[in-house]
């Protein structure tokens, strides 16, 4: 795999750009020791130890929230407010509060495709609402089409958390969707694919019941499409077309709610058969606790060969990003990864949202030493 820094490949190259899309360093050189995971997270543990460095890069899209507010107000005349800053604002029954979450980004054919989840909540409505926002930029990061809120069939109650990937020359989004049940009005999460160019929804045909499906991780290898459905236990689907998928590794497990290690960014090729992702784990104590982990997958043997300990983040990542209106989460800051780009063999950028509040990017350096150790150990076994 060839690593290079240019606007076609990595977010780090956007630092000098002024205007449409900007990254700047918020806190540099936060280094710590990363080791293999604890058994409670995953059985894929080892004795690997190394040091990585995390830098908080502010993912900045001037006008993003203004664009979103404009689009939402075209749909409804309600009073929308960006990011409530306090519980008193949340309890203001006159306003609907939006947070921009789950950023998804991918370069293709000289364009940067950017999508995100727009989460709207208001105190008087028992159902929160999600919208999916999409905008495209050219290689100079100038908008090439007006931003839009994607339209999905009315049978879906919620569509959320996009992941972007390219398959056979098509930019696509994989999303979690909750269709209404005709029987009792309850919802069961499922997976849909959105074709950006054709503006259409595709329902993958899978050889198992559609119950509680969410957070699949796309993986494209040698022009073949795979989805890592679950990590622990590993279950991988291969899709001959986007619509037709079958199991090629692991087995279907229906009770995903008890899995600690869960979905994250799309898997990206690091070297040879080794693909990397940043995934999240979730433990339920009295409330939910989230952590972020590096995951390495060998796609020759279809085995998870490494899961890191929980990553530690620079304090700047959580400044002025309160946990608002998420009472189901423990009183503990969290970063939820959804997008990954590889800068070079030592550095990657992972983008996600903080505290269900704002989109942020973290640059992770030290991957070369970590991956050398992971690959060396895997080749010995």
């Amino acid at each position: 795999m060839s690593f290079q820094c240019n606007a076609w490949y990595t977010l780090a190259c956007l630092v000098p750009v002024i205007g449409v899309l900007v990254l700047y360093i918020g806190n540099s050189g936060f280094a710590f020791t990363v080791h293999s995971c604890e058994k409670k997270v995953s059985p894929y543990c080892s004795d690997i130890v190394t040091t990585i460095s995390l830098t908080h890069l502010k993912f900045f899209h001037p006008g993003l929230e203004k664009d979103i507010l404009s689009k939402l107000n075209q749909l409804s005349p309600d009073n929308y407010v960006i990011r409530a800053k306090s519980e008193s604002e949340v309890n203001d029954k006159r306003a609907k509060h939006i947070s921009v979450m789950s950023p998804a980004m991918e370069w293709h054919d000289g364009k940067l495709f950017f999508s995100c989840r727009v989460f709207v909540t208001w105190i008087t409505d028992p159902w929160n609402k999600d919208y999916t926002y999409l905008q495209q930029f050219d290689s100079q990061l100038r908008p090439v089409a007006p931003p839009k809120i994607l339209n999905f069939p009315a049978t879906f109650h919620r569509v959320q958390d996009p992941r972007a990937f390219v398959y056979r020359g098509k930019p696509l989004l994989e999303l979690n969707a909750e269709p209404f049940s005709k029987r009792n009005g309850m919802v069961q999460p499922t997976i849909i694919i959105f074709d950006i160019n054709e503006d259409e929804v595709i329902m993958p045909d899978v050889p198992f019941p559609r119950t509680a499906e969410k957070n699949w991780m796309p993986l494209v290898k040698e022009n073949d499409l795979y989805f890592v459905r679950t990590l622990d236990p590993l279950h991988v689907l291969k899709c001959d077309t986007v619509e037709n998928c079958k199991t090629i590794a692991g087995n279907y497990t229906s009770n995903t709610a008890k899995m600690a290690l869960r979905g994250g960014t799309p898997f990206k090729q690091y070297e040879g058969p080794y693909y990397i992702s940043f995934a999240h784990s979730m433990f339920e104590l009295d409330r939910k606790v989230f952590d972020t982990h590096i995951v390495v997958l060998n796609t020759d043997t279809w085995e998870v060969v490494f899961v890191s300990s929980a990553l530690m983040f620079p304090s700047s990542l959580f400044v002025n990003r309160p946990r608002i209106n998420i009472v189901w989460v423990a009183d503990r800051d969290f970063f939820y990864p959804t997008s990954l780009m590889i800068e070079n063999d030592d550095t990657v950028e992972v983008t996600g949202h903080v505290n269900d509040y704002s989109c942020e990017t973290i640059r992770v350096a030290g991957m070369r030493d970590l991956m050398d150790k992971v690959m060396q150990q895997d080749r010995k076994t």
Side-chain angles (χ1 to χ4, degrees):
M1 171 170 203
S2 175
F3 299 97
Q4 55 183 328
C5 184
N6 56 54
W8 293 75
Y9 196 63
T10 173
L11 290 175
C13 306
L14 308 186
V15 174
V17 177
I18 304 299
V20 178
L21 195 61
V22 179
L23 288 174
Y24 65 84
I25 295 177
N27 186 24
S28 61
F30 180 81
F32 69 97
T33 299
V34 63
H35 51 85
S36 186
C37 61
E38 299 178 40
K39 290 293 184 181
K40 68 177 183 178
V41 174
S42 168
Y44 314 115
C45 301
S46 64
D47 57 358
I48 292 173
V49 179
T50 191
T51 299
I52 64 174
S53 174
L54 272 65
T55 300
H56 176 205
L57 306 176
K58 174 62 179 177
F59 181 71
F60 206 86
H61 183 331
L64 171 61
E65 290 163 337
K66 182 178 179 181
D67 288 341
I68 290 173
L69 285 177
S70 175
K71 291 296 180 184
L72 291 180
N73 284 321
Q74 290 175 17
L75 297 174
S76 170
D78 295 298
N79 180 28
Y80 290 97
V81 176
I82 301 173
R83 295 179 185 164
K85 299 297 191 299
S86 66
E87 292 294 343
S88 61
E89 287 189 23
V90 167
N91 293 326
D92 182 353
K93 297 182 180 181
R94 298 169 297 175
K96 296 181 178 179
H97 307 281
I98 74 168
S99 295
V100 181
M101 303 160 54
S102 302
M105 293 170 286
E106 189 63 86
W107 288 99
H108 174 64
D109 197 23
K111 297 177 184 177
L112 175 68
F113 293 85
F114 170 76
S115 182
C116 62
R117 172 187 176 187
V118 182
F119 179 66
V120 182
T121 182
W122 56 100
I123 199 68
T124 57
D125 195 321
W127 293 97
N128 295 325
K129 180 66 176 178
D130 287 281
Y131 297 95
T132 302
Y133 175 90
L134 176 69
Q135 190 166 20
Q136 302 176 36
F137 303 92
D138 65 14
S139 59
Q140 300 301 313
L141 302 175
R142 297 169 299 204
V144 297
K148 61 181 180 179
I149 301 292
L150 300 183
N151 293 316
F152 296 102
T155 51
F156 291 117
H157 161 58
R158 302 171 70 180
V159 178
Q160 58 190 14
D161 296 340
R163 270 85 166 173
F165 64 102
V166 175
Y167 173 57
R168 295 183 179 175
K170 289 186 174 184
L172 304 168
L173 296 176
E174 175 254 306
L175 305 106
N176 307 329
E178 295 181 356
F180 278 109
S181 167
K182 294 181 180 179
R183 183 176 60 184
N184 54 19
M186 299 299 290
V187 293
Q188 290 286 354
T190 190
I191 295 294
I192 63 172
I193 308 299
F194 184 80
D195 188 320
I196 293 175
N197 288 341
E198 300 298 328
D199 198 30
E200 68 176 3
V201 173
I202 302 167
M203 295 286 291
D205 182 19
V206 294
F208 48 79
R210 289 182 172 276
T211 57
E213 296 299 318
K214 62 186 302 186
N215 297 328
W216 291 7
M217 292 175 285
L219 186 159
V220 178
K221 178 184 179 181
E222 298 174 352
N223 209 32
D224 289 327
L225 175 62
Y226 303 84
F227 287 105
V228 178
R229 176 182 169 267
T230 59
L231 285 166
D232 182 18
L234 183 67
H235 183 204
V236 182
L237 304 171
K238 181 178 181 181
C239 303
D240 297 329
T241 65
V242 175
E243 298 91 342
N244 183 25
C245 304
K246 62 182 180 181
T247 296
I248 58 101
N251 296 297
Y252 170 76
T253 302
S254 61
N255 190 7
T256 59
K258 292 186 177 181
M259 296 178 183
L261 188 64
R262 302 188 173 208
T265 73
F267 273 92
K268 295 291 185 72
Q269 185 183 27
Y270 180 83
E271 183 176 302
Y274 295 97
Y275 282 65
I276 60 174
S277 172
F278 284 67
H280 78 279
S281 64
M282 192 273 287
F283 301 97
E284 292 216 39
L285 303 174
D286 54 335
R287 289 184 290 175
K288 296 180 180 179
V289 176
F290 290 95
D291 281 313
T292 301
H293 308 264
I294 302 170
V295 179
V296 183
L297 179 67
N298 184 331
T299 60
D300 279 349
T301 59
W302 291 110
E303 294 178 315
V304 174
V305 296
F306 179 77
V307 177
S308 76
S309 54
L311 301 186
M312 299 172 62
F313 295 102
S315 59
S316 65
L317 185 64
F318 305 109
V319 173
N320 295 323
R321 294 166 182 87
R323 295 178 299 278
I324 297 294
N325 204 38
I326 47 174
V327 297
W328 44 271
V329 174
D331 187 21
R332 180 174 178 264
D333 293 318
F334 65 91
F335 175 78
Y336 189 99
T338 55
S339 188
L340 174 65
M341 291 193 179
I342 299 178
E343 179 179 346
N344 54 50
D345 66 347
D346 193 60
T347 308
V348 302
E349 283 84 31
V350 56
T351 302
H353 59 258
V354 171
N355 294 339
D356 281 6
Y357 188 80
S358 65
C359 299
E360 309 292 337
T361 297
I362 294 291
R363 175 185 285 160
V364 182
M367 295 296 295
R368 180 75 267 177
D369 184 64
L370 172 64
M371 290 302 298
D372 281 346
K373 291 177 178 178
V374 170
M375 293 185 293
Q376 182 180 21
Q377 183 179 78
D378 182 53
R379 289 163 182 157
K380 287 181 178 178
T381 58

